[in-house]
Amino acid sequence: MHALICGSMAFDTIMVFQDRFRHHILPEKVHMLNVSFLVPEMRREFGGCAGNIAYNLKLLGGSPLVMATVGDDFAPYQARLESLGIAQQHIQRVPQSFTAQAFITTDLDDNQITAFHPGAMTQSHLNRVADAKQVSLGIVAPDGRDGMLQHAREFKAAGIPFIFDPGQGMPMFNGEELLAFIELADYVAVNDYEAQLLQERTGLTLDAIAGKVRALIVTRGGEGSQIYADGERLDIPCVQAEAVVDPTGCGDAYRAGLMYGIMHSLGWLKTGRLAALLGALKIARRGAQNHVFDRGAIAAMYLEQFGERLW
């Protein structure tokens, strides 16, 4: 059976400014800002929530199906997915558009200025969940607004359990819409900031949200994560990473672990630990898809970290 991953496919163009923004942005002149930063260091990474989740799930031995809309410039990403053996039949090209992409400039203090172009992502509602076959679990990850609303309803109508993962798409929805997502979803996954925003917009506590779904998962960065399920809260510690290099894509790696654990009935403790391990592997490498592992390596790391077999 497959995991259907509804979300964005994107290119991330990352540039490094070898100075500090504060030396070039005058507070008293922000009303007439006109600055230019020389960025001799630049790299282009493969990203997007759906792409990142699928990448990690594939490395675990899972069978991800990506459902996304992309632009005319998608060819390099297409070639990458082919090399990884990730199915593309539900990735739809939107003519005369760009694939979603972020342009990120970082200074020496790790401050960032980001411009995001959604491009073809805004047309994600062109895809239909019903077109995907043999799906046992889905996820509605950050994507076009209309697509996220539609895919949540379609998962429910098809009887396919799914994770609602609003991520950076949270600001697009009001309290009533977020409540509707929670009512439709089987699982909700957010980070600690998003959890606070979700509570404020819906008027529900975390315990109340958890009571409406099979599980509520809250990631807390270096403080680990919490899984609310079966009337209890399970605290999952953070796994010590080889190095802390780049947090981009850590949440997506964690969600791939969640999906694998749910699909293989690993139980919440083992599922949370696997997800945390994937996050630690990701943070040690730059970019969202440059860490590499296989099932044997994951099993060995899991045994070393937790003193028990993973599978």
Side-chain angles (χ1 to χ4, degrees), residues 46 74-83 88 93:
F46 298 104
F74 190 66
Y77 214 147
Q78 178 183 1
R80 173 174 174 76
L81 294 177
E82 289 172 355
S83 71
Q88 300 182 54
R93 294 204 185 204

Side-chain angles (χ1 to χ4, degrees), residues 252-304:
D252 296 328
Y254 186 102
R255 281 147 180 76
L258 280 181
M259 296 190 79
Y260 187 93
I262 293 169
M263 293 179 73
H264 292 84
S265 303
L266 296 185
W268 286 116
L269 179 60
K270 189 168 282 189
T271 295
R273 286 175 169 178
L274 172 61
L277 183 56
L278 293 190
L281 285 168
K282 198 329 289 158
I283 204 169
R285 299 289 182 270
R286 291 197 181 277
Q289 298 180 26
N290 292 324
H291 55 296
V292 179
F293 59 83
D294 59 27
R295 284 174 56 84
I298 282 289
M301 285 184 248
Y302 189 94
L303 180 62
E304 180 182 357

Side-chain angles (χ1 to χ4, degrees), residues 2-311:
H2 303 295
L4 183 60
I5 303 168
C6 299
S8 62
M9 300 290 285
F11 293 110
D12 297 330
T13 300
I14 302 164
M15 297 157 282
V16 179
F17 176 50
Q18 298 295 333
D19 200 340
R20 292 166 172 82
F21 294 143
R22 57 187 169 86
H23 293 161
H24 301 269
I25 298 177
L26 305 176
E28 68 276 12
K29 297 292 185 180
V30 292
H31 65 287
M32 50 183 296
L33 189 65
N34 187 355
V35 294
S36 176
F37 302 112
L38 179 65
V39 287
E41 181 183 337
M42 185 181 84
R43 68 182 193 276
R44 197 183 198 202
E45 303 282 3
F46 298 104
C49 294
N52 297 340
I53 295 170
Y55 174 78
N56 285 276
L57 191 55
K58 185 67 176 181
L59 291 181
L60 281 173
S63 180
L65 293 177
V66 175
M67 180 166 280
T69 43
V70 300
D72 295 327
D73 57 344
F74 190 66
Y77 214 147
Q78 178 183 1
R80 173 174 174 76
L81 294 177
E82 289 172 355
S83 71
L84 294 169
I86 295 177
Q88 300 182 54
Q89 64 263 40
H90 301 298
I91 297 177
Q92 184 172 170
R93 294 204 185 204
V94 179
Q96 298 182 329
S97 69
F98 289 105
T99 301
Q101 42 203 293
F103 300 89
I104 305 164
T105 304
T106 303
D107 74 357
L108 295 181
D109 288 333
D110 286 331
N111 296 306
Q112 290 187 337
I113 297 175
T114 300
F116 182 74
H117 174 67
M121 189 182 80
T122 61
Q123 303 300 309
S124 60
H125 57 278
L126 297 176
N127 286 318
R128 300 284 186 271
V129 167
D131 293 338
K133 308 303 180 185
Q134 295 184 310
V135 174
S136 61
L137 180 67
I139 185 168
V140 175
D143 207 351
R145 170 186 158 81
D146 292 344
M148 291 180 71
L149 290 164
Q150 174 183 302
H151 295 152
R153 293 191 295 265
E154 291 176 346
F155 273 124
K156 185 68 172 182
I160 299 171
F162 76 95
I163 301 169
F164 173 49
D165 171 26
Q168 63 265 36
M170 178 87 75
M172 295 190 296
F173 305 106
N174 60 33
E176 183 178 345
E177 290 165 332
L178 291 169
L179 281 169
F181 275 118
I182 293 168
E183 294 291 345
L184 293 168
D186 296 85
Y187 312 92
V188 173
V190 289
N191 65 26
D192 47 359
Y193 176 81
E194 293 156 3
Q196 183 61 39
L197 191 58
L198 189 60
Q199 291 177 89
E200 291 176 0
R201 292 201 172 182
T202 63
L204 298 177
T205 65
L206 291 181
D207 286 332
I209 295 170
K212 292 180 174 292
V213 292
R214 298 187 196 180
L216 166 65
I217 301 94
V218 181
T219 59
R220 305 171 67 237
E223 297 180 16
S225 57
Q226 297 171 331
I227 299 177
Y228 297 75
D230 303 320
E232 299 180 347
R233 190 188 81 187
L234 189 62
D235 292 313
I236 306 295
C238 184
V239 173
Q240 185 68 37
E242 175 187 312
V244 178
V245 176
D246 181 6
T248 305
C250 286
D252 296 328
Y254 186 102
R255 281 147 180 76
L258 280 181
M259 296 190 79
Y260 187 93
I262 293 169
M263 293 179 73
H264 292 84
S265 303
L266 296 185
W268 286 116
L269 179 60
K270 189 168 282 189
T271 295
R273 286 175 169 178
L274 172 61
L277 183 56
L278 293 190
L281 285 168
K282 198 329 289 158
I283 204 169
R285 299 289 182 270
R286 291 197 181 277
Q289 298 180 26
N290 292 324
H291 55 296
V292 179
F293 59 83
D294 59 27
R295 284 174 56 84
I298 282 289
M301 285 184 248
Y302 189 94
L303 180 62
E304 180 182 357
Q305 286 285 333
F306 304 112
E308 65 173 2
R309 295 176 63 86
L310 176 56
W311 40 58

